Amino acid sequence: MEREVIENLIQDSLEARKNSYCPYSGYAVGAALLAFDNDNNRIVYKGCNIENASYGATNCAERTAVFKAVSEGVTRFEAIAITGGPKGEEPRDYAFPCGVCRQVMAEFCGKDFTVIVALSKDVYKVYKFSELLPEAFGAANME
Ligand code: THU
Protein backbone atom coordinates (compact mmCIF):
# COMPACT_ATOMS: atom_id res chain seq x y z
CA MET A 1 0.00 0.00 0.00
CA GLU A 2 1.14 3.54 -0.70
CA ARG A 3 2.63 5.31 2.29
CA GLU A 4 0.23 8.24 1.89
CA VAL A 5 -2.81 5.95 2.05
CA ILE A 6 -1.44 4.30 5.21
CA GLU A 7 -0.71 7.65 6.87
CA ASN A 8 -4.18 8.99 6.10
CA LEU A 9 -5.78 5.84 7.46
CA ILE A 10 -3.78 6.12 10.69
CA GLN A 11 -4.83 9.76 11.00
CA ASP A 12 -8.47 8.70 10.62
CA SER A 13 -8.07 6.06 13.32
CA LEU A 14 -6.56 8.64 15.69
CA GLU A 15 -9.56 10.88 15.03
CA ALA A 16 -12.00 8.03 15.64
CA ARG A 17 -10.19 7.26 18.89
CA LYS A 18 -11.18 10.68 20.24
CA ASN A 19 -14.81 9.48 20.30
CA SER A 20 -14.01 6.36 22.32
CA TYR A 21 -16.54 5.72 25.08
CA CYS A 22 -14.44 3.87 27.63
CA PRO A 23 -15.38 4.96 31.18
CA TYR A 24 -14.67 1.47 32.58
CA SER A 25 -11.30 0.50 31.11
CA GLY A 26 -10.00 3.98 30.34
CA TYR A 27 -8.44 2.39 27.22
CA ALA A 28 -9.41 4.28 24.06
CA VAL A 29 -9.24 2.56 20.68
CA GLY A 30 -9.77 3.98 17.21
CA ALA A 31 -10.08 2.13 13.91
CA ALA A 32 -10.29 3.26 10.30
CA LEU A 33 -11.43 0.75 7.72
CA LEU A 34 -10.57 1.35 4.06
CA ALA A 35 -13.23 -0.06 1.77
CA PHE A 36 -14.49 0.07 -1.80
CA ASP A 37 -18.03 1.29 -2.17
CA ASN A 38 -20.43 -0.04 -4.78
CA ASP A 39 -19.14 2.49 -7.35
CA ASN A 40 -15.61 1.17 -6.72
CA ASN A 41 -14.52 4.35 -4.95
CA ARG A 42 -12.40 4.16 -1.82
CA ILE A 43 -14.31 5.03 1.34
CA VAL A 44 -13.23 5.05 4.99
CA TYR A 45 -15.40 3.91 7.89
CA LYS A 46 -14.22 5.02 11.32
CA GLY A 47 -15.01 3.28 14.59
CA CYS A 48 -14.20 3.52 18.28
CA ASN A 49 -14.69 1.20 21.23
CA ILE A 50 -18.03 1.64 22.97
CA GLU A 51 -18.18 0.24 26.50
CA ASN A 52 -21.15 -0.66 28.64
CA ALA A 53 -21.83 -0.96 32.37
CA SER A 54 -22.64 -4.58 31.54
CA TYR A 55 -19.07 -5.13 30.36
CA GLY A 56 -19.82 -7.93 27.92
CA ALA A 57 -21.97 -5.58 25.86
CA THR A 58 -18.86 -3.60 24.91
CA ASN A 59 -18.09 -3.24 21.21
CA CYS A 60 -14.49 -2.96 20.00
CA ALA A 61 -13.39 -0.18 17.66
CA GLU A 62 -12.65 -2.56 14.79
CA ARG A 63 -16.08 -4.17 14.92
CA THR A 64 -17.75 -0.77 15.14
CA ALA A 65 -16.05 0.19 11.86
CA VAL A 66 -16.82 -3.14 10.14
CA PHE A 67 -20.45 -3.11 11.25
CA LYS A 68 -20.90 0.48 10.11
CA ALA A 69 -19.66 -0.47 6.63
CA VAL A 70 -21.65 -3.69 6.32
CA SER A 71 -24.81 -1.96 7.50
CA GLU A 72 -24.32 0.52 4.65
CA GLY A 73 -24.05 -2.31 2.12
CA VAL A 74 -20.26 -2.11 1.82
CA THR A 75 -18.39 -5.39 2.27
CA ARG A 76 -15.21 -5.11 0.17
CA PHE A 77 -12.37 -4.18 2.48
CA GLU A 78 -8.74 -3.36 1.75
CA ALA A 79 -7.15 -2.35 5.06
CA ILE A 80 -7.73 -1.27 8.65
CA ALA A 81 -5.62 0.99 10.87
CA ILE A 82 -5.87 0.62 14.64
CA THR A 83 -4.61 2.88 17.42
CA GLY A 84 -5.13 2.43 21.15
CA GLY A 85 -3.92 3.53 24.55
CA PRO A 86 -5.00 5.19 27.79
CA LYS A 87 -7.69 7.79 27.11
CA GLY A 88 -6.31 11.29 26.70
CA GLU A 89 -2.76 10.03 26.05
CA GLU A 90 -0.85 9.28 22.88
CA PRO A 91 -0.62 5.53 22.09
CA ARG A 92 2.45 3.97 23.69
CA ASP A 93 1.98 0.35 22.63
CA TYR A 94 0.53 -1.26 19.54
CA ALA A 95 -3.14 -2.22 19.86
CA PHE A 96 -3.63 -5.50 18.04
CA PRO A 97 -7.16 -6.63 17.20
CA CYS A 98 -8.70 -9.03 19.72
CA GLY A 99 -9.71 -12.56 18.75
CA VAL A 100 -13.37 -11.70 18.28
CA CYS A 101 -12.51 -8.81 15.94
CA ARG A 102 -10.14 -11.06 13.97
CA GLN A 103 -12.97 -13.55 13.51
CA VAL A 104 -15.31 -10.77 12.33
CA MET A 105 -12.62 -9.62 9.88
CA ALA A 106 -12.30 -13.24 8.66
CA GLU A 107 -15.96 -13.15 7.63
CA PHE A 108 -15.44 -10.28 5.18
CA CYS A 109 -11.73 -9.80 4.56
CA GLY A 110 -9.48 -11.88 2.34
CA LYS A 111 -6.03 -13.20 3.22
CA ASP A 112 -4.44 -10.09 1.66
CA PHE A 113 -6.41 -7.65 3.78
CA THR A 114 -3.91 -5.30 5.42
CA VAL A 115 -3.87 -4.65 9.17
CA ILE A 116 -1.94 -1.61 10.34
CA VAL A 117 -1.24 -1.11 14.03
CA ALA A 118 0.11 2.33 14.79
CA LEU A 119 1.45 4.61 17.48
CA SER A 120 1.43 7.64 15.19
CA LYS A 121 1.40 8.51 11.49
CA ASP A 122 5.11 7.73 11.35
CA VAL A 123 5.41 4.74 13.68
CA TYR A 124 3.46 1.70 12.63
CA LYS A 125 3.57 -1.97 11.67
CA VAL A 126 1.85 -3.58 8.70
CA TYR A 127 0.54 -7.16 8.60
CA LYS A 128 -1.33 -9.34 6.18
CA PHE A 129 -4.52 -10.60 7.79
CA SER A 130 -3.42 -14.21 7.24
CA GLU A 131 -0.46 -13.56 9.56
CA LEU A 132 -2.79 -12.54 12.38
CA LEU A 133 -5.37 -15.30 11.94
CA PRO A 134 -3.91 -18.24 10.03
CA GLU A 135 -6.21 -21.17 9.33
CA ALA A 136 -9.27 -19.05 10.05
CA PHE A 137 -12.59 -20.81 10.46
CA GLY A 138 -15.04 -19.68 7.79
CA ALA A 139 -17.99 -20.60 5.61
CA ALA A 140 -15.81 -22.97 3.54
CA ASN A 141 -15.35 -25.21 6.57
CA MET A 142 -19.05 -25.98 6.56
CA GLU A 143 -19.38 -26.89 2.87
N1 THU B 1 -10.74 -3.05 22.49
C1 THU B 1 -10.93 -2.68 21.21
O1 THU B 1 -11.62 -1.70 20.92
N2 THU B 1 -10.34 -3.42 20.23
C2 THU B 1 -9.59 -4.54 20.45
O2 THU B 1 -9.23 -5.23 19.53
C3 THU B 1 -9.22 -4.89 21.82
C4 THU B 1 -9.96 -4.19 22.90
C5 THU B 1 -11.38 -2.26 23.55
C6 THU B 1 -12.49 -2.99 24.25
C7 THU B 1 -12.51 -2.28 25.59
O3 THU B 1 -13.35 -1.12 25.47
C8 THU B 1 -11.10 -1.81 25.80
O4 THU B 1 -10.45 -1.92 24.56
C9 THU B 1 -10.34 -2.64 26.82
O5 THU B 1 -10.44 -3.99 26.54
Side-chain angles (χ1 to χ4, degrees):
M1 289 188 76
E2 310 93 304
R3 194 180 166 85
E4 193 187 344
V5 174
I6 292 175
E7 286 182 3
N8 288 340
L9 207 57
I10 294 169
Q11 187 59 43
D12 285 336
S13 88
L14 289 167
E15 275 167 28
R17 191 174 166 248
K18 292 180 191 159
N19 294 329
S20 166
Y21 177 75
C22 57
Y24 305 105
S25 74
Y27 188 80
V29 185
L33 178 67
L34 185 62
F36 291 104
D37 68 16
N38 295 323
D39 297 320
N40 245 3
N41 295 313
R42 272 177 164 160
I43 182 169
V44 175
Y45 288 90
K46 294 193 264 188
C48 62
N49 55 329
I50 304 169
E51 298 188 346
N52 193 283
S54 175
Y55 296 175
T58 291
N59 208 56
C60 289
E62 300 91 320
R63 275 178 286 147
T64 302
V66 171
F67 293 158
K68 279 175 69 178
V70 175
S71 67
E72 298 292 329
V74 172
T75 56
R76 283 191 299 141
F77 302 136
E78 189 178 3
I80 192 167
I82 308 160
T83 50
K87 185 143 183 93
E89 296 177 21
E90 300 301 314
R92 281 185 252 123
D93 294 303
Y94 293 108
F96 283 88
C98 79
V100 175
C101 288
R102 292 181 200 205
Q103 185 62 32
V104 168
M105 289 176 198
E107 188 69 25
F108 300 102
C109 308
K111 284 181 167 41
D112 292 333
F113 179 70
T114 300
V115 178
I116 302 148
V117 289
L119 302 185
S120 68
K121 270 173 78 167
D122 306 310
V123 184
Y124 58 84
K125 293 181 180 181
V126 180
Y127 295 86
K128 288 267 167 245
F129 180 66
S130 55
E131 295 179 89
L132 298 185
L133 189 61
E135 308 294 351
F137 179 82
N141 293 99
M142 292 181 286
E143 280 167 8

